[in-house]
């Protein structure tokens, strides 16, 4: 009987230890630019978990086993055209892959631009991205990660948000709410999968419309065309894209590559002939699925 009880207690301890941490980004009542409305968050699972109308942004933390941990972490920004989040396809699945390589994976459920529940909606995703990076850095000791080895990865519109964080990390877009906001919002490295980069020619129309509106002023277009916002302080970057991507043209990655190169920022890019848009891990494509190993090799080169 004692052995049975001990086994049950041990199983419970393992289960608790392995549970993921879901943490709100903002303290109660302090979500910036949020309007009090009746809008409700929506979760739909039709092969992919799709989240829309995010009201309470969070981070979901996946930690590798201590013996495998490298001390690195990556914040993950799922895509969805700034209208929805492909939360497992480009979020939790990516976190689990990172864990297999000893890297903490932290999925950011960021707010999507909304005229109904937000003011100045075009700054809201960046607010959540900056806050997520600062919050993770402030918890680095608890998560047993190195605060100087925290990168980001984003896909499609999530790639736009990631590249916005990588180029606008020191832009003041919200007032400090607690001590976590004393931390830097700059990522230490950045990986972008088929990212929306530009809001000019070759943009993704849906992402642009959802973030900055139907007929935005030129200065706002330029502000969120991240190839125009690169500086020598932009973090080292890994880019992956497919040539036949008709959703987000490959020119987005090419523009960002050129801007990084011109500013002396270390950049690695892998362009595949086929793959289309939104391929995530590309597990069914023997050639394309190799992009994840190329990324891990790149991360190792930064150590």
């Amino acid at each position: 009987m004692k052995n049975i009880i001990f086994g049950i207690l041990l199983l419970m301890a393992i289960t608790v230890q392995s549970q993921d941490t879901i943490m709100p980004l903002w303290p109660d009542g302090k979500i910036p630019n949020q309007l009090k409305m009746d809008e409700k968050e929506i979760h739909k699972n039709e092969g992919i978990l799709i989240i829309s109308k995010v009201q309470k942004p969070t981070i979901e933390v996946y930690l590798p086993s201590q013996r495998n941990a490298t001390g690195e972490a990556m914040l993950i920004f799922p895509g969805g055209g700034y209208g929805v989040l492909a939360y497992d396809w480009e979020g939790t699945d990516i976190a689990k892959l990172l864990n297999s390589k000893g890297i903490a994976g932290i999925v950011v459920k960021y707010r999507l631009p909304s005229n109904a529940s937000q003011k100045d909606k075009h700054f809201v995703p960046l607010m959540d991205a900056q806050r997520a990076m600062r919050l993770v850095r402030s918890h680095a000791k608890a998560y047993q990660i190195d605060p100087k080895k925290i990168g980001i990865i984003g896909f499609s519109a999530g790639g736009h948000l990631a590249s916005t964080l990588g180029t606008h990390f020191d832009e003041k877009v919200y007032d400090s709410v607690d001590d976590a906001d004393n931390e830097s919002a700059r990522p230490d490295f950045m990986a972008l999968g088929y990212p929306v980069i530009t809001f000019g020619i070759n943009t993704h129309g849906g992402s642009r419309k959802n973030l900055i509106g139907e007929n935005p002023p030129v200065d706002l277009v330029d502000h969120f065309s991240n190839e125009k916002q690169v500086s020598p302080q932009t973090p080292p970057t890994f880019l992956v894209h497919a040539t036949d991507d008709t959703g987000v043209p490959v020119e987005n990655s090419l523009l960002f590559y050129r801007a990084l190169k011109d500013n002396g920022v270390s950049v690695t890019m892998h362009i595949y002939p086929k793959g289309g848009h939104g391929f995530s891990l590309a597990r069914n494509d023997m050639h394309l699925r190799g992009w994840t190993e190329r990324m891990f090799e790149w991360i190792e080169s930064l150590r």
Side-chain angles (χ1 to χ4, degrees):
M1 176 63 79
K2 288 183 178 179
N3 288 338
I4 294 174
I5 293 174
F6 176 77
I8 293 172
L9 291 173
L10 180 61
L11 180 60
M12 290 173 63
I14 292 172
T15 301
V16 169
Q17 188 177 24
S18 65
Q19 282 180 340
D20 308 312
T21 299
I22 298 180
M23 180 182 296
L25 276 185
W26 305 95
D28 285 343
K30 293 186 178 180
I31 303 177
N33 288 38
Q34 191 87 336
L35 301 174
K36 290 185 178 181
M37 302 291 289
D38 293 331
E39 196 171 54
K40 303 294 183 182
E41 186 169 305
I42 298 172
H43 292 225
K44 289 185 178 180
N45 198 329
E46 299 175 353
I48 296 176
L49 175 58
I50 300 296
I51 300 178
S52 59
K53 301 183 185 299
V54 174
Q55 300 301 306
K56 293 185 177 180
T58 61
I59 53 172
E60 184 169 358
V61 182
Y62 288 74
L63 298 177
S65 63
Q66 291 184 13
R67 294 185 62 156
N68 284 330
T70 65
E72 296 156 325
M74 295 186 80
L75 277 66
I76 306 162
F77 298 95
Y82 283 124
V84 300
L85 300 178
Y87 193 76
D88 52 1
W89 181 249
E90 295 171 344
T92 55
D93 283 0
I94 306 301
K96 294 168 187 175
L97 173 72
L98 292 171
N99 279 184
S100 74
K101 298 293 186 177
I103 301 171
I106 301 166
V107 186
V108 184
K109 189 182 74 173
Y110 56 92
R111 285 175 293 165
L112 300 157
S114 168
N115 290 320
S117 61
Q118 299 160 11
K119 58 182 180 179
D120 297 327
K121 67 175 184 177
H122 44 280
F123 286 118
V124 165
L126 178 58
M127 290 175 177
D128 288 354
Q130 286 188 0
R131 174 67 179 178
M133 179 58 73
R134 290 174 173 137
L135 192 63
V136 170
R137 277 213 167 92
S138 73
H139 286 81
K141 185 175 181 180
Y143 298 153
Q144 296 185 315
I145 58 178
D146 187 334
K148 296 181 180 179
K149 293 183 178 180
I150 303 176
I152 57 177
I153 182 170
F155 299 87
S156 193
H160 183 268
L161 180 54
S163 67
T164 303
L165 179 59
T167 54
H168 298 255
F169 55 84
D170 58 354
E171 180 179 343
K172 184 176 175 58
V173 292
Y174 68 89
D175 293 328
S176 175
V177 296
D178 57 27
D179 289 344
D181 287 325
N182 295 326
E183 301 285 348
S184 170
R186 180 185 181 274
D188 293 301
F189 53 96
M190 177 164 61
L192 306 174
Y194 38 90
V196 179
I197 294 292
T198 187
F199 277 170
I201 298 172
N202 291 313
T203 190
H204 177 253
S207 296
R208 171 175 146 155
K209 178 182 177 181
N210 286 334
L211 187 65
I212 61 174
E214 186 83 55
N215 297 298
V218 173
D219 61 337
L220 204 57
V221 172
D222 288 346
H223 191 75
F224 287 104
S225 290
N226 292 324
E227 80 279 9
K228 298 182 178 182
Q229 306 301 328
V230 173
S231 75
Q233 286 70 50
T234 302
T237 300
F238 175 95
L239 293 158
V240 61
H241 220 121
T243 303
D244 66 348
D245 189 335
T246 58
V248 177
V250 70
E251 282 77 9
N252 282 262
S253 285
L254 297 173
L255 283 169
F256 205 56
Y257 177 91
R258 172 65 70 179
L260 292 162
K261 177 178 178 293
D262 289 348
N263 279 272
V265 177
S266 176
V267 56
T268 295
M269 181 168 63
H270 292 272
I271 303 295
Y272 290 83
K274 295 180 180 179
H277 187 69
F279 50 75
S280 183
L281 298 176
R283 298 313 305 161
N284 294 325
D285 188 316
M286 293 181 63
H287 180 47
L288 181 58
R289 70 190 181 195
W291 80 263
T292 58
E293 288 304 312
R294 306 293 79 76
M295 181 182 72
F296 290 125
E297 291 166 358
W298 169 75
I299 292 172
E300 288 182 358
S301 76
L302 301 175
R303 293 172 184 167

